[in-house]
Amino acid sequence: MEFTASQIASFIDGKIIGDENALITGVSPIESGETGHLSFIAQDRFTHYLDSSKCSVIIVSEDLLTKDYYNPTIISVKDAYLSFQVLMNLYQEMQGRKEGIENGSSIHDTAIIGDKVYIGAFTYVSEKAKIGEGSQIYPQVYIGKGVKIGKNCKIDSGARIYDYCIVGDNCVIHSNTVIGGDGFGFQPTQEGFKKIPQLGNVIIEDDVEIGSNCSIDRATIGSTVIGKGTKIDNLIQIAHNVKIGKNNVIAAQAGIAGSTTIGDWNQIGGQVGIVGHIKIGNQVKIQAQSGVNSSVNDRETLYGSPAISYNDYLRNYIHFRNFTEIVNRINNLENNSKDKTNE
Amino acid sequence: MEFTASQIASFIDGKIIGDENALITGVSPIESGETGHLSFIAQDRFTHYLDSSKCSVIIVSEDLLTKDYYNPTIISVKDAYLSFQVLMNLYQEMQGRKEGIENGSSIHDTAIIGDKVYIGAFTYVSEKAKIGEGSQIYPQVYIGKGVKIGKNCKIDSGARIYDYCIVGDNCVIHSNTVIGGDGFGFQPTQEGFKKIPQLGNVIIEDDVEIGSNCSIDRATIGSTVIGKGTKIDNLIQIAHNVKIGKNNVIAAQAGIAGSTTIGDWNQIGGQVGIVGHIKIGNQVKIQAQSGVNSSVNDRETLYGSPAISYNDYLRNYIHFRNFTEIVNRINNLENNSKDKTNE
Amino acid sequence: MEFTASQIASFIDGKIIGDENALITGVSPIESGETGHLSFIAQDRFTHYLDSSKCSVIIVSEDLLTKDYYNPTIISVKDAYLSFQVLMNLYQEMQGRKEGIENGSSIHDTAIIGDKVYIGAFTYVSEKAKIGEGSQIYPQVYIGKGVKIGKNCKIDSGARIYDYCIVGDNCVIHSNTVIGGDGFGFQPTQEGFKKIPQLGNVIIEDDVEIGSNCSIDRATIGSTVIGKGTKIDNLIQIAHNVKIGKNNVIAAQAGIAGSTTIGDWNQIGGQVGIVGHIKIGNQVKIQAQSGVNSSVNDRETLYGSPAISYNDYLRNYIHFRNFTEIVNRINNLENNSKDKTNE
């Protein structure tokens, strides 16, 4: 990364105040700026960094500027946050995509590999698997029998995608995530638990991103489904036959038990647990660490274990915090009552 | 998968109503049947699908049938659920086992590989490791020094089994699970934490299944033990020196801290935490998300964090949900009491 | 492992009572001693094993010895626990380090590999990565572009370290942990969530140990930091831009959300969740399963979800356990009050 202030200004249509040849070689958060780095200020409470930051170039929302000269070179724009995003996206794209099949990968003869695909060393592609155009499969990935991966996906190192699972277009699956492991299904018998074959698959629709170290189990029969545009953080458990709709956001370490159905545009907090065989509507918010054990209507906000309405939980929890005082009040009432009786 | 209705009927000793040549190429849950697929109906509440399902063939418990003709081809049996299980197991077996050593695996000269073993590409087998007859080690697995794996095991892609760990017969270990990582043991000193060497191992007895992305740590000295027939879901933490008995079922994201002992036939819910150095008896049920911080007797059912009796927790939680109302009642009592005093 | 009692006594400067040629080939916890094994007794409550243990050699704190002869060979020392630690460390060191580049690894031409480094088969080292002197990279590891790993590190099989992350000296990273996956950052739009590029890195300082199956995400810009000497257990989530100080201990399955700052010498329990954008001081203790949702001062001890003072939580939880009884007392008070009113 090496750009001048004037190159950056041209990308985002900004005005330069200061040295247009100032060189940047990296990016810093404004709180910990470094010489030679670029940063941005989009909020009033950060404007004091305009004078004190070590950054060489700062993109600033124009209405936050009050002087004609600052120590760092300033690039003045309408909305510094948006401009910075534009820039980061540009930079990301400049990195380019990887392409080509590396030595040391193992690709079955019957696998179908699209144009401009990258397959890293030590990646294993099983029979009849299909990798769509422009997808990047990093090293050490496992792709099972008959797996279909769409276009422009990125599958990071160490991900495992088991037999017959389907991944749509533009999906990102991070390292060491396992798609299509057996669902957890056993029948109790006198002698022990007998495995119920798990013969379904996992379907991941377009534009889904799944973090690292997640486990998404295949359906017993039919499919476990992750709907279009849903984003899943790290270390998340999705059990067999779960159906998740579109544009959900699920934070790290959440777990969803078998056969539960989840609608669209829900926000599920970190470490949330959702029991099996229930139905979550749309636009539901579930607070971190909650335990949801019954179906949920649209637009509810939940908290607690078992989860209840967010406001109720908070209100009741305040009483819980004062519980000792509350018990003291009961003690007093009882003492008063006895006194009266004894009068 | 391609079978006719009559082939399927012969496997499960069923009677055909309809087209005995009806062809099936897949399996669907009855709620989302597809043309050309097989499904089953074993409960009254699903019988409305007998007319509306797109499935080509449906296995039905005979006492649920009321007509002589249905749209799909029907295979009538005594218990449709059991017959379907039989069929799925048959199908699973038909898939066959993998066998042979793939190019690109790395097997130490001193390792002992049994008959009919499968070892996938990019799998690493260290010195003096032993793989029992008929076991399947998928690609990209790591097998440490002196590890012993029994007969007919399946070790999925990316599993790691560290030095001197022992796995019994008929075990399944899913992808990216780590067996025998160092236990979390450090001694505090003035300057920082000093690592306590973790020199024990992990012993996994026969018929154990362990899901994906689990961490089962080696003992400091001695062994961490997973008893015969115990089934462990995904993303589970088992710390050093834990001893788990036979036929337990442990749901996803549960964690068991160091040196705790667990008996037989227990059911441990998802996201449960169990502290170290305690003893859990037999046939105990621990509700999801509970936190167990003291020893538990046989046949108890627990809930909450810290966990108490399930019924007590539920009863008390109902009061918690009404806490605001309860405090209002106390307010009223106090006001009444004051009124009386002022009279 | 094969030592005589006299060899062991010489390592730890102990006195032998019994057969100085007694041979040991392994180590047992005293509760489950085995013939031919070594163990130790450092506490009075274990002295009954002096006569009953099957161990061939036992190291014992001298003040616990009361007789001239015991069944096993005894090595008498000042502090048996410390001597045993010394011995285990010695044994660990005797195992030696691995060295050399194994066949079947893939190392980019521009990578810089220090002296005495071990790189296992199927490990992938990307362009311009740097591996410091004496570090051991086990098989099947992924090292991204420009990654820097210090001296004397151990990176276990299946760990993934993404582009530009930095690891200090003497660090241990266990199997299947992912360092530098993208942070979970998306902007909501009408059509769905748009990815915010994650262009920062992860910096891991010296003497850090990270367990298996952890996810430590790269910063959006700047760095996610794990401070010197901090020890992290298994299955832990560290989100983007988190800064963790020195000598913290974080137990399994804990999760820390984005941009939170954590000081030094804190103890964070298992399955704890910490929300984003808060500040935890120093020497704080957070009880297992707690949910921390606001900043915490030095030396506090917390419990509950949301977390409050440990003592308050425990006291209030006792009332919660008695909630039914407490409500009965309110019922009685109300009945009494009505009685009085009706009088």
Side-chain angles (χ1 to χ4, degrees), chain A residues 84-98:
Chain A
F84 190 76
Q85 289 300 330
V86 167
L87 211 59
M88 293 300 97
N89 281 306
L90 265 175
Y91 178 70
Q92 182 96 316
E93 277 163 34
M94 278 178 202
Q95 302 299 298
R97 294 174 164 275
K98 289 197 153 204

Side-chain angles (χ1 to χ4, degrees), chain A residues 9-57:
Chain A
S10 74
F11 292 144
I12 53 175
D13 202 17
K15 251 181 310 188
I16 294 176
I17 305 173
D19 177 10
E20 65 176 24
N21 295 316
L23 204 69
I24 68 115
T25 59
V27 178
S28 297
I30 193 69
E31 309 91 293
S32 53
E34 294 178 32
T35 309
H37 277 201
L38 172 73
S39 193
F40 74 98
I41 296 178
Q43 288 183 278
D44 203 38
R45 64 195 172 103
F46 293 114
T47 48
H48 62 97
Y49 286 111
L50 279 169
D51 288 310
S52 64
S53 173
K54 288 187 197 152
C55 283
S56 302
V57 182

